[in-house]
Amino acid sequence: MTMESDVKVGFLYKIISAIYQAVYREIGDDAWEILWKSGEILFNYIKDEVPISKDMRLEDAMSNLSRYIRATHIVRDINYIIDRERGTIEYQISFLIPLRYERREEAGPIYIFSSLFVALMNYLGYIVCKDREPRIAEDNTLIERWRFKSKS
C-alpha cells in the first residue's frame, strides 16, 4: 500500500475548506477571485497529465478531465451534458462526503472543481459565465450550468 492510497478524502476537503475560509475571512468576497485563480493554477499543474490539447473538441477534453478526476477517487462521479445549440454545459459532481454549504465561505472544496472546469474551457478558447445558481442534490451532487461561447 502506498502513501497516496492512505489519503483520507474528508481530511483533504477540510484542508481546502480551512484555507479558503481563512482567505475569505481576511479579504471577504474577493476570496472568490482567489478560488477561480486556484482552478487555473491547478489546471496548469495537471494539464500535462491529462490528454488535453488546445485544438481538442470540448466533449473530448471534458471526458478526459472527468476521467482523470474520477481516477483520483476524490469524487464519486462526474457527469456532464453539453448543449452546443444553446451554448450550455451542465455538469454534476457527486461527492464522497456530505457537503456543507451553509455559508459562502465554506464552498472551497466544492468549487475547486468548478474553477478547474472553467479553466479547461478557457484553455480551449471559450468564454464561460454562470447560467444559473448551482444547487446541491440530496445525494451530495453539485449541479451547475454554465453558458459558453467561442472567444473567436
Side-chain angles (χ1 to χ4, degrees), residues 113-128:
F113 298 104
S114 302
S115 64
L116 182 58
F117 282 114
V118 168
L120 168 66
M121 293 181 74
N122 288 330
Y123 174 77
L124 295 174
Y126 292 98
I127 297 169
V128 184

Side-chain angles (χ1 to χ4, degrees), residues 4-139:
E4 288 177 356
S5 65
D6 291 337
V7 172
K8 302 288 186 222
V9 172
F11 187 65
L12 181 61
Y13 284 130
K14 287 175 185 174
I15 290 169
I16 295 168
S17 183
I19 293 168
Y20 180 70
Q21 284 185 49
V23 171
Y24 188 89
R25 290 175 187 172
E26 287 297 313
I27 66 173
D29 283 338
D30 288 342
W32 280 102
E33 294 302 318
I34 293 171
L35 181 67
W36 292 113
K37 184 56 111 176
S38 69
E40 294 172 20
I41 293 167
L42 179 57
F43 179 75
N44 285 325
Y45 282 160
I46 68 170
K47 74 180 177 189
D48 292 336
E49 300 171 27
V50 182
I52 292 175
S53 63
K54 286 189 177 212
D55 60 346
M56 184 174 268
R57 288 177 359 124
L58 175 59
E59 291 82 353
D60 296 332
M62 286 294 293
S63 177
N64 290 349
L65 182 57
S66 296
R67 190 175 312 111
Y68 176 87
I69 294 170
R70 278 188 211 106
T72 67
H73 304 287
I74 291 174
V75 299
R76 182 178 307 117
D77 201 8
I78 299 174
N79 296 294
Y80 56 89
I81 301 167
I82 298 171
D83 184 337
R84 286 197 173 272
E85 200 171 288
R86 290 190 177 130
T88 61
I89 181 168
E90 178 176 291
Y91 57 86
Q92 303 171 358
I93 305 172
S94 299
F95 290 85
L96 295 168
I97 63 169
L99 299 176
R100 283 191 44 193
Y101 183 49
E102 297 157 13
R103 295 185 312 261
R104 188 174 190 177
E105 66 196 59
E106 296 172 337
I110 300 169
Y111 290 109
I112 190 69
F113 298 104
S114 302
S115 64
L116 182 58
F117 282 114
V118 168
L120 168 66
M121 293 181 74
N122 288 330
Y123 174 77
L124 295 174
Y126 292 98
I127 297 169
V128 184
C129 65
K130 192 181 294 188
D131 185 51
R132 66 177 181 208
E133 285 302 309
R135 65 185 177 87
I136 298 172
E138 289 183 24
D139 66 348

